[in-house]
Amino acid sequence: MDYQKTLAEVRNFYTERLGENIAGQLIELARPAFALTAAEPGEATGQCRFGGRPLLEPGTDWPMCEDLPLSLVAVLDTDALAPWLGDLAPPSTGLLNFFYLDSDSKLSDPQAMDLDLKLPTHDPRKSAVIPAASSRAVKVTPPARASVFEPEPWTAEPVIALPDLTSDPAMERIESGFYIDHQIEDWEQLPAGVTSEDVAFG
């Protein structure tokens, strides 16, 4: 996908239906992103995956939420994603390990739900992102009480991410806000490669 070409096509789509002013505001919110799907054998994008063990630099502390360890949910390999991301990810970011407080999976610790309900909904202690240089990262065995999900390699397909027109708070910044979704009937004409769901970055 050619990012600038597709972005121009998206601008034209919205301009024809919503006018140049709102189209311009929407395009300002567009970001390069990746649709993440289960990879076929041999088609994983770098070390991108769901679950498994984290890839951390030696000596890195395991993230905690009070007395419970967070659980690894995903690893993103920004070295493999860099050509599409441009300057969204700093050079040599390497691997990003995403952790969260697992309170609702079949693997979750019995006390995790009580802790989750006790803390504010968006409490920053419930999640963590830990970077690691690819050349120094090693697989780390999770501590007791952390959920360990079966690893699933991912394929990352470049897309253009736009806000969800019906629920994203970013739409409050745009004239007409959430109502613009109802002004478009032919969504199938939107250029391919544009999404607001299941993306990394964006």
Side-chain angles (χ1 to χ4, degrees):
M1 177 195 297
D2 183 310
Y3 183 79
Q4 293 302 327
K5 178 181 178 182
T6 303
L7 199 62
E9 294 172 351
V10 174
R11 178 188 287 274
N12 290 338
F13 173 87
Y14 284 120
T15 298
E16 292 172 1
R17 292 156 181 82
L18 303 172
E20 186 172 342
N21 181 39
I22 293 179
Q25 293 178 66
L26 279 170
I27 292 302
E28 287 182 3
L29 297 174
R31 297 292 185 272
F34 296 90
L36 302 170
T37 57
E40 296 296 329
E43 294 185 358
T45 302
Q47 300 189 72
C48 294
R49 60 173 161 81
F50 167 83
R53 294 189 292 168
L55 296 167
L56 302 173
E57 296 183 29
T60 301
D61 292 333
W62 191 277
M64 304 288 292
C65 182
E66 295 196 352
D67 63 340
L68 281 178
L70 299 182
S71 300
L72 180 81
V73 64
V75 175
L76 290 182
D77 185 346
T78 68
D79 293 334
L81 306 179
W84 181 248
L85 286 177
D87 59 2
L88 270 184
S92 303
T93 298
L95 305 167
L96 295 176
N97 296 270
F98 291 80
F99 296 85
Y100 81 119
L101 177 63
D102 176 23
S103 62
D104 57 5
S105 82
K106 294 180 180 179
L107 301 175
S108 64
D109 185 277
Q111 296 182 19
M113 179 59 75
D114 291 338
L115 178 58
D116 194 11
L117 293 174
K118 183 184 78 171
L119 297 175
T121 301
H122 299 295
D123 193 303
R125 290 173 293 178
K126 292 183 180 181
S127 61
V129 181
I130 300 180
S134 302
S135 60
R136 296 194 296 272
V138 295
K139 285 186 178 180
V140 176
T141 300
R145 305 175 75 188
S147 302
V148 183
F149 302 103
E150 189 69 24
E152 179 181 276
W154 274 336
T155 293
E157 181 70 24
V159 295
I160 292 176
L162 285 169
D164 186 319
L165 303 189
T166 62
S167 62
D168 195 312
M171 293 303 297
E172 296 175 1
R173 296 168 46 190
I174 295 179
E175 181 183 339
S176 300
F178 297 109
Y179 298 105
I180 67 175
D181 175 56
H182 305 295
Q183 300 177 40
I184 300 176
E185 298 179 355
D186 56 342
W187 283 107
E188 70 278 2
Q189 300 300 316
L190 187 67
V194 179
T195 185
S196 61
E197 300 180 351
D198 299 326
V199 297
F201 297 95

